[in-house]
Amino acid sequence: MSTPLLAFKDVDVFYGPIQALRKVSLQIHAGETVSLIGANGAGKSTLLMSIFGQPRARGGSIVYQGREISQSSAHYVASNGIAQSPEGRRVFPDMTVEENLLMGTIPIGTAHAQEDLQRMFDLFPRLKDRRNQRAMTMSGGEQQMLAIARALMSRPTLLLLDEPSLGLAPIVVKQIFQILRELARNGMTLFLVEQNANHALRLSDRGYVMVNGEIRLSGTGEELLGNQQVREAYLGGH
């Protein structure tokens, strides 16, 4: 198989004396959609944050496009093609939709800003309707769309998504995953951290299961959906 776009190899991460990730190894190849599922507190978000060095890996390696990045600055990582839609959305509440989107251009500059704004409005028509509205006045689903669109404004090679379905109504979750499916069809590489294992694995080419900071299972999305352990732990036994 080709060289991975992003690879973790035996990565250890600590918060002070507490070990949050233990010997984590995983790979993401260009054009793939990969999910990391697990219970709340399993270490999934920590893994995403460690890509940007917050917290830094204390052991092992994180390699992106053939370069070790575990000790690189967050700005270096962001300006070299990795963008994140964070857990809890974290939009700028007093800024308008358009201003929030323009914040996404900080890693790459504004040369393509107007073109990319139009692209985001085509992908997320709801945002076009609310382009001059303050983000704090929008629904949770609209804010989630804004967080994803803001990440896309940096023209990433790899898009990280941390719990995009969290706190959203089922119909909105369906809309969000339809958008992610469209991004994947258009060749975007997606790395998805999700508690909603059903939606995540149905979208994904491959997946990993994290338990207490360790990778316990991996396989194709279809294999993990059919795995009895996964069904019992994350899919209500179905």
Side-chain angles (χ1 to χ4, degrees):
M1 192 177 257
S2 60
T3 302
L5 178 64
L6 179 73
F8 278 64
K9 185 174 181 182
D10 295 330
V11 171
D12 293 320
V13 170
F14 291 78
Y15 289 106
I18 307 299
Q19 188 162 8
L21 299 180
R22 190 182 306 274
K23 300 295 182 204
V24 168
S25 296
L26 58 79
Q27 296 183 349
I28 301 165
H29 289 81
E32 278 193 309
T33 296
V34 177
S35 288
L36 178 64
I37 65 170
N40 190 30
K44 306 185 304 299
S45 294
T46 296
L47 185 144
L48 286 191
M49 287 161 27
S50 71
I51 295 170
F52 293 93
Q54 300 169 340
R56 290 212 178 279
R58 205 182 289 181
S61 65
I62 305 172
V63 177
Y64 171 66
Q65 293 183 326
R67 179 184 170 121
E68 169 68 52
I69 62 167
S70 63
Q71 303 305 311
S72 297
S73 69
H75 179 76
Y76 173 86
V77 173
S79 61
N80 278 272
I82 302 181
Q84 181 171 354
S85 173
E87 182 181 1
R89 300 179 275 279
R90 298 188 200 171
V91 296
F92 297 99
D94 290 319
M95 289 185 177
T96 66
V97 166
E98 186 167 327
E99 288 167 343
N100 266 272
L101 291 174
L102 291 172
M103 292 296 286
T105 67
I106 286 174
I108 64 166
T110 58
H112 304 285
Q114 293 308 310
E115 174 189 346
D116 290 344
L117 275 176
Q118 190 54 56
R119 193 163 56 92
M120 292 307 107
F121 291 150
D122 290 343
L123 186 61
F124 302 91
R126 194 83 61 86
L127 299 184
K128 183 176 183 179
D129 295 340
R130 287 157 172 70
R131 67 187 298 169
N132 297 314
Q133 188 171 323
R134 285 197 299 170
M136 66 188 297
T137 67
M138 296 165 62
S139 70
E142 290 165 345
Q143 289 185 22
Q144 184 61 68
M145 292 176 191
L146 178 56
I148 295 170
R150 181 181 62 194
L152 290 171
M153 288 290 289
S154 68
R155 296 192 163 197
T157 303
L158 171 61
L159 178 61
L160 312 176
L161 298 125
D162 194 353
E163 304 284 5
S165 75
L166 188 65
L168 302 181
I171 190 168
V172 181
V173 172
K174 188 175 179 181
Q175 291 171 347
I176 294 293
F177 274 84
Q178 284 173 341
I179 290 165
L180 298 182
R181 193 164 280 107
E182 184 175 342
L183 291 172
R185 275 199 303 265
N186 291 331
M188 175 69 67
T189 307
L190 304 177
F191 185 32
L192 176 67
V193 160
E194 255 295 345
Q195 287 187 61
N196 190 325
N198 186 41
H199 275 293
L201 293 175
R202 288 185 188 283
L203 176 69
S204 296
D205 300 299
R206 293 187 303 108
Y208 295 88
V209 179
M210 178 168 274
V211 179
N212 295 329
E214 299 180 6
I215 300 295
R216 295 285 177 85
L217 286 170
S218 65
T220 67
E222 190 174 343
E223 286 169 348
L224 292 176
L225 277 169
N227 182 287
Q228 187 64 32
Q229 288 175 269
V230 173
R231 287 206 305 271
E232 289 177 358
Y234 306 108
L235 301 171
H238 299 302

